[in-house]
Amino acid sequence: MLRSVAKHAETPISKWPGSAPAEVPSEPKRDKAAITVSIVPVHVAVPGRARLHVGALKGSTEAERLVEWGLSTVPGVSKATASHLTGNVLVYYDG
């Protein structure tokens, strides 16, 4: 019994017999190749908020998650909501 415990003490929990794999945060798949995307300001009259149209966003739930995740890492951006239905992104920022 002690040998079994000692063996598991040196083994990562994810490799223990009968353990489920560790959950990894859902992060969009990213390709290392760069792509060119059309981004057009739609409405920027309200300070601290901008609505942008992103050409590659419409119809792509993967792009929706990627845009939201990417903008959430930008300093000064407090929230970004993308829509694959409209192709627009609403960005709230400090300003």
Side-chain angles (χ1 to χ4, degrees):
M1 172 87 173
L2 289 177
R3 282 188 185 164
S4 176
V5 171
K7 179 181 174 186
H8 286 305
E10 298 172 358
T11 306
I13 293 173
S14 61
K15 298 195 183 225
W16 285 10
S19 67
E23 286 189 33
V24 177
S26 178
E27 184 176 301
K29 296 176 185 173
R30 290 174 281 156
D31 193 354
K32 292 184 181 189
I35 60 170
T36 303
V37 177
S38 167
I39 301 175
V40 180
V42 175
H43 193 277
V44 292
V46 179
R49 190 174 78 183
R51 184 176 307 277
L52 310 170
H53 183 77
V54 180
L57 181 58
K58 193 165 186 173
S60 174
T61 56
E62 181 69 23
E64 179 182 77
R65 289 192 308 265
L66 183 61
V67 167
E68 287 180 347
W69 177 80
L71 287 172
S72 71
T73 65
V74 175
V77 173
S78 57
K79 182 179 179 183
T81 305
S83 170
H84 70 277
L85 299 174
T86 64
N88 291 338
V89 182
L90 183 57
V91 180
Y92 293 92
Y93 59 93
D94 301 334

